[in-house]
Amino acid sequence: MDNFYWLHEIQPSDREIVGEQGFYLRDLLRKGHPVLPGFVVTAQFFWEFLQTIDWLEPLFVDLPESSLYFDVNQPRQLQAIAQHLCQQLLDTPVPKPWSDQIQANIEQLNSPALIFYPSLTISGTESTSSLFGSVISWGDAQSGLFGLKQAYCELFRAKSLLYWQRCGVRLQDLQPVVLVQALQSVKASGCVKIQPQAWEIHSTWGLEFSLLWGENHADHYRILPQTKKVQQQHLGSKTILYDLKSSPHQPTEYPIPQKQFGTSISELPIYATLIPEEQRGFSLTSEQLQQLIQLIQQVVLNLPLTQGFYWRLLQSSLEKEPEFYVSGLGFPEIPLFSPVLNPDIPQRQQHFQGLAVASGQCKGIAYVLNTLESIPSVLPENTVLVVAAINWDYLPLLKQSVAIIAEQGGMTSHGAIVARELGIPAVCGIVNATVKIKTGESVFVDGNRGEIYCMEPEHLVNERLLEQNVKSSPLETYFMPNATLLMVNISQCNSIERLQTFPIDGVGLLRSELIAIEALSFSENQDLDLGISQKSDSNIYNFSYWIEPEKQPKFIQKMAEALNQIARILSPRPIYYRALDLREINSSNGRFPVSDFPTSERLTLFDLELKVLLNLYESGYQNLYLILPFIRSVEEFLMYRKRIEASGLMRYSGFKVWIMAEVPSILFLLPDYVKAGVQGISIGTNDLTQLLFGIDRNQIQISPQNPIQYEQHPALRKAIKQLIKKARKAKIPCSICGDAPALYPELIEDLVRWGITSISVSLDAVELTYRAIARAEKRILLDQSR
């Protein structure tokens, strides 16, 4: 098998050798369509070249038998390994027979510059298309050989090494190919996205790097495939132009991002300049646009499954008209908005930056709810809820929303926790969001980056960006159990549908408040149902309504039905039910306030909860255990303990009573709690952080004015470690159920080392936490064996 294939020489049987890019470009070329010339360097050459390297890095000494092992939680170590590997690859000369052949191919291209596109031929790696960057070099043989090795370095970048390990891809299974093409000066360039309903053209002056690097907002054309007519066109904000240098010494007038390893910016064959005022118009003339539409039609006819392609408009000489060429297949992720905004668009229709508290991306219609307005029972479809803060009044609305925008809130606020469980994006910290955003306005919410884009209703969002939010890698159906139990935190009955395929050992925290709100909001007599308030100036739930004697049977029935469903599906795995924490949902009439000691009304409501649990135990579901929230003293615990004993639950030997470890006094009183009958503790890092540092968990945000990451503060870590050590000494289980392990996975190895019994996280963090626990346990065993 040859190591090099010219595009026009590729045969149908060579598809697995040259990769998809080269194979389909060959198809277009053979059918007479304009394709930039080039050749493919096969994976065989890559492996033969690697075998000539005298690796100093032990990771590759035994290649291909060796595997990559490094700490993904140590970014500096990962960067050091990647730089070492790339540098050694660049320093190794290509053996002469191969270098002579590459030199001959480069001379045959006869181009002032070259561009290298690395990719993989193995199946199942389509998602790596955006992992590798292209490499550019001067067109001489020496620069070309160096550029080829730089293209191979893309496989060993830190982000690539991390990807291979997290996806379980062995290095020896990689089959990298590199497409080498001529790079010439162009009039314009861009890409085409091909969809059944429309063809979208993105265009800019000069080479396409300004689009790929997010520096220009492209001219956008929307073409109807049926008629080949231009349906819409929008002038982009184009300020940067990339072109080839006339000589290596030509300076760049505008800074160029450093995009490839081993080459300084001054050595690149391209330069950047500001586009002159006379070129701020559309980058394609009407005639050129029609030529490009004809080229799209030809590509679609010959490659009906292609999603798009890159193009360049070349002018080989002043005497000839510019011609379009296909330079590659695929469609890049064009930024939704460029950093350069149109000053004519009002500020409220542009971009807001906040705090990303729940991941995901979606587009919807804003519904602004002010604090003085009545709370609607039903929201329109595709609603993005915009509020001052996500309080308990709004929780029934979250399930009807596709995204949340709030002026206030933090990562551990209750609204953020619920949004993450529901799987909808949420962004907090948007100052004056309820004023800047208007009801009915089209908004795009990026919960991954904490960004909000307001746009005209007809603005076309990059649908591939939205599709990526839906596509997620499936969780492992079969998995090796860890010694450290992995649990989940849930607060919604419908969350159990997502639990059945998760690698979990049970529910470490069942937040009863939201279960109650969901279950009790559907009473038989809606006229008498005072459960849901309709004014946002009152808190959501009046639990005093349910302690009236005639309402108590309904409370027990509705709560038992909800918990029965969860217990049945998860049985025999344990479920830790946290009793109602009424600190967070005080009613507007002052009932159930936070006091130094439980009120009689609170104790009556607690007795109802015990009857619910007893109902389930008598029905045969004995996998529910009780956690008492916010216990501040041994005396307070004993008051609850007596009521538990009186309920009849203690006659079931498997019934357990835990307490939340969220009040700092437990650091000193844990032995006394154990003597009083506490059978386990669950560390609530959200409230423990708040009380330890005197902060508001619903408001805290990381910012230049407040740079402290409290969940990573040494004081909190010491408190957690002390609780775990004391629980081990007392021989009781110790779990952790706050958001700290999910937000800061690097904490997990310490938790395992300290002896945590179980880790309970939100649904969206299960897979990451499972892998982190497995790595931590393996690393600890390895350290012990050494």
Side-chain angles (χ1 to χ4, degrees):
M1 182 178 69
D2 293 333
N3 287 330
F4 310 97
Y5 286 76
W6 284 95
L7 291 178
H8 63 273
E9 296 175 346
I10 295 173
Q11 302 299 317
S13 59
D14 299 329
R15 180 172 180 171
E16 293 186 0
I17 300 172
V18 300
E20 302 291 291
Q21 189 79 214
F23 180 78
Y24 287 118
L25 287 177
R26 161 260 185 198
D27 261 7
L28 294 176
L29 191 62
R30 287 200 166 192
K31 291 173 182 176
H33 303 315
V35 175
L36 289 177
F39 61 91
V40 174
V41 185
T42 68
Q44 176 177 299
F45 174 81
F46 169 78
W47 286 109
E48 290 176 352
F49 172 58
L50 252 61
Q51 290 173 6
T52 68
I53 300 176
D54 183 16
W55 291 106
L56 300 177
E57 171 56 53
L59 283 173
F60 289 92
V61 169
D62 298 323
L63 198 69
E65 287 77 18
S66 66
S67 298
L68 288 174
Y69 293 104
F70 52 86
D71 188 353
V72 296
N73 295 321
Q74 297 293 331
R76 292 185 179 179
Q77 178 192 26
L78 182 59
Q79 287 284 357
I81 291 174
Q83 290 181 8
H84 179 82
L85 296 176
C86 291
Q87 193 60 57
Q88 195 166 355
L89 191 151
L90 294 180
D91 291 342
T92 302
V94 177
K96 186 169 176 54
W98 297 333
S99 63
D100 289 346
Q101 190 170 358
I102 295 174
Q103 180 176 352
N105 287 351
I106 290 175
E107 290 176 352
Q108 188 171 338
L109 279 177
N110 190 27
S111 174
L114 303 171
I115 187 164
F116 302 80
Y117 298 104
S119 61
L120 299 178
T121 66
I122 62 174
S123 60
T125 56
E126 292 83 357
S127 60
T128 64
S129 58
S130 60
L131 187 64
F132 308 131
S134 58
V135 172
I136 53 180
S137 77
W138 287 98
D140 60 281
Q142 183 178 356
S143 300
L145 284 169
F146 192 74
L148 178 60
K149 291 188 288 186
Q150 286 178 301
Y152 289 144
C153 285
E154 291 296 311
L155 279 78
F156 301 140
R157 291 286 192 109
K159 62 179 181 180
S160 302
L161 294 178
L162 182 62
Y163 182 88
W164 307 140
Q165 188 186 84
R166 286 193 167 172
C167 295
V169 178
R170 301 185 307 167
L171 185 67
Q172 54 266 36
D173 292 335
L174 299 178
Q175 295 297 313
V177 295
V178 179
L179 172 64
V180 186
Q181 287 183 303
L183 183 64
Q184 300 168 326
S185 180
V186 298
K187 298 285 291 182
S189 62
C191 51
V192 175
K193 182 177 183 179
I194 298 173
Q195 302 177 104
Q197 67 273 22
W199 300 339
E200 294 184 17
I201 298 173
H202 297 260
S203 173
T204 190
W205 295 107
L207 293 166
E208 66 270 19
F209 302 118
S210 60
L211 297 186
L212 300 180
W213 297 342
E215 295 174 305
N216 277 358
H217 185 195
D219 299 335
H220 177 261
Y221 307 86
R222 181 179 172 89
I223 314 299
L224 294 178
Q226 298 81 4
T227 62
K228 314 301 182 295
K229 300 296 184 181
V230 179
Q231 182 188 29
Q232 292 180 359
Q233 64 180 35
H234 299 285
L235 179 64
S237 297
K238 307 180 297 298
T239 56
I240 307 299
L241 183 147
Y242 282 91
D243 206 347
L244 289 185
K245 292 180 178 179
S246 57
S247 72
H249 307 293
Q250 181 180 351
T252 181
E253 300 177 13
Y254 189 85
I256 298 177
Q258 182 65 45
K259 293 292 181 180
Q260 58 192 62
F261 182 83
T263 300
S264 65
I265 294 175
S266 61
E267 295 173 324
L268 294 175
I270 60 173
Y271 74 97
T273 185
L274 294 176
I275 296 177
E277 191 66 34
E278 59 270 18
Q279 275 191 292
R280 294 293 174 89
F282 282 100
S283 48
L284 296 176
T285 65
S286 300
E287 294 78 11
Q288 291 168 349
L289 180 59
Q290 291 303 316
Q291 294 173 19
L292 182 53
I293 292 173
Q294 292 178 11
L295 177 58
I296 298 172
Q297 185 178 9
Q298 295 168 359
V299 172
V300 171
L301 288 174
N302 288 281
L303 298 176
L305 297 181
T306 188
Q307 294 182 332
F309 62 89
Y310 301 86
W311 57 267
R312 297 195 191 116
L313 182 60
L314 276 68
Q315 187 169 20
S316 56
S317 65
L318 295 177
E319 295 78 20
K320 296 183 179 181
E321 290 294 322
E323 297 179 84
F324 284 95
Y325 284 85
V326 176
S327 59
L329 300 176
F331 184 83
E333 291 303 329
I334 300 297
L336 182 68
F337 283 92
S338 72
V340 182
L341 297 173
N342 190 336
D344 297 330
I345 301 177
Q347 182 62 36
R348 68 176 183 88
Q349 293 186 336
Q350 296 180 1
H351 166 259
F352 307 113
Q353 180 68 53
L355 177 68
V357 298
S359 62
Q361 299 165 320
C362 75
K363 179 185 177 184
I365 304 301
Y367 187 100
V368 180
L369 189 57
N370 293 309
T371 55
L372 299 179
E373 296 178 355
S374 296
I375 300 175
S377 57
V378 179
L379 291 177
E381 291 186 7
N382 202 34
T383 289
V384 174
L385 188 62
V386 185
V387 294
I390 308 171
N391 58 43
W392 290 91
D393 291 349
Y394 301 146
L395 293 181
L397 303 180
L398 298 192
K399 290 184 179 181
Q400 305 177 45
S401 305
V402 297
I404 309 295
I405 301 172
E407 295 176 345
Q408 303 172 4
M411 287 297 296
T412 59
S413 62
H414 299 288
I417 292 171
V418 175
R420 288 195 290 270
E421 182 176 342
L422 293 175
I424 59 175
V427 177
C428 295
I430 306 294
V431 179
N432 294 326
T434 56
V435 176
K436 295 177 180 177
I437 301 173
K438 305 300 181 184
T439 295
E441 199 166 21
S442 181
V443 293
F444 181 81
V445 181
D446 188 341
N448 300 330
R449 301 178 180 86
E451 297 178 337
I452 306 297
Y453 296 95
C454 298
M455 61 197 79
E456 298 296 335
E458 67 272 10
H459 184 89
L460 299 173
V461 179
N462 187 338
E463 293 184 5
R464 177 175 294 190
L465 185 67
L466 299 178
E467 292 170 1
Q468 286 186 342
N469 182 46
V470 179
K471 297 176 182 178
S472 59
S473 58
L475 290 170
E476 301 178 44
T477 305
Y478 304 100
F479 62 96
M480 294 296 293
N482 296 320
T484 307
L485 300 181
L486 174 59
M487 318 279 272
V488 292
N489 308 327
I490 64 171
S491 60
Q492 307 286 314
C493 287
N494 57 4
S495 295
I496 60 176
E497 299 175 2
R498 301 172 58 189
L499 300 182
Q500 300 184 49
T501 59
F502 275 39
I504 61 169
D505 298 294
V507 173
L509 177 64
L510 181 63
R511 293 185 177 94
S512 58
E513 301 82 28
L514 298 182
I515 296 290
I517 289 171
E518 185 177 35
L520 301 177
S521 61
F522 300 101
S523 68
E524 292 180 357
N525 191 337
Q526 293 295 331
D527 293 334
L528 296 178
D529 184 5
L530 306 179
I532 299 298
S533 67
Q534 294 300 313
K535 292 292 183 181
S536 59
D537 57 355
S538 64
N539 292 326
I540 183 171
Y541 217 90
N542 184 359
F543 277 94
S544 61
Y545 171 82
W546 295 102
I547 66 174
E548 298 177 14
E550 65 274 15
K551 304 299 188 302
Q552 292 182 12
K554 179 67 68 176
F555 178 94
I556 297 171
Q557 175 195 346
K558 291 292 186 180
M559 289 292 290
E561 288 174 355
L563 297 182
N564 184 294
Q565 182 185 13
I566 300 174
R568 174 174 50 82
I569 290 180
L570 287 173
S571 180
R573 290 174 287 180
I575 301 170
Y576 288 87
Y577 170 91
R578 188 184 69 182
L580 290 166
D581 191 351
L582 299 179
R583 296 173 302 125
E584 299 159 358
I585 48 176
N586 300 326
S587 58
S588 60
N589 58 13
R591 292 286 182 93
F592 302 122
V594 178
S595 60
D596 294 338
F597 219 62
T599 64
S600 60
E601 292 178 322
R602 172 66 188 103
L603 292 175
T604 301
L605 189 60
F606 180 67
D607 290 340
L608 292 179
E609 292 184 87
L610 295 179
K611 290 180 180 180
V612 172
L613 295 178
L614 182 63
N615 182 300
L616 290 166
Y617 267 73
E618 291 174 344
S619 300
Y621 296 113
Q622 300 180 12
N623 57 324
L624 277 95
Y625 311 114
L626 178 63
I627 302 181
L628 300 177
F630 208 70
I631 298 298
R632 292 158 291 188
S633 67
V634 175
E635 292 76 14
E636 185 176 8
F637 170 75
L638 287 173
M639 175 173 286
Y640 285 110
R641 170 81 180 188
K642 289 179 182 179
R643 305 186 88 87
I644 296 170
E645 291 173 348
S647 72
L649 281 166
M650 299 302 292
R651 70 172 181 262
Y652 292 95
S653 58
F655 183 74
K656 300 182 180 67
V657 181
W658 288 25
I659 61 173
M660 292 295 300
E662 55 194 358
V663 179
S665 61
I666 197 174
L667 291 165
F668 311 100
L669 298 175
L670 184 56
D672 298 323
Y673 280 115
V674 175
K675 290 179 182 179
V678 169
Q679 297 167 287
I681 61 172
S682 183
I683 304 172
T685 58
N686 297 342
D687 279 325
L688 182 60
T689 303
Q690 172 177 259
L691 298 174
L692 198 61
F693 294 101
I695 57 175
D696 184 351
R697 59 180 279 190
N698 293 313
Q699 302 299 330
I700 180 173
Q701 298 182 33
I702 302 300
S703 65
Q705 294 76 29
N706 180 34
I708 303 175
Q709 296 186 11
Y710 292 99
E711 293 85 355
Q712 288 187 307
H713 197 283
L716 179 64
R717 297 172 72 90
K718 288 180 181 179
I720 294 172
K721 182 178 180 180
Q722 181 176 334
L723 286 169
I724 296 173
K725 296 297 183 183
K726 286 193 172 185
R728 285 172 60 86
K729 186 176 181 180
K731 298 182 180 179
I732 63 170
C734 177
S735 179
I736 187 167
C737 65
D739 283 273
L743 297 176
Y744 304 99
E746 60 271 19
L747 176 63
I748 291 175
E749 183 172 344
D750 286 334
L751 294 173
V752 175
R753 288 186 183 275
W754 296 336
I756 197 77
T757 308
S758 63
I759 298 175
S760 191
V761 297
S762 56
L763 293 174
D764 60 342
V766 168
E767 185 175 13
L768 177 64
T769 306
Y770 167 74
R771 296 182 188 278
I773 292 173
R775 284 195 303 269
E777 292 181 348
K778 290 178 182 178
R779 191 172 294 117
I780 291 170
L781 289 174
L782 181 61
D783 291 344
Q784 291 174 347
S785 66
R786 287 173 175 171

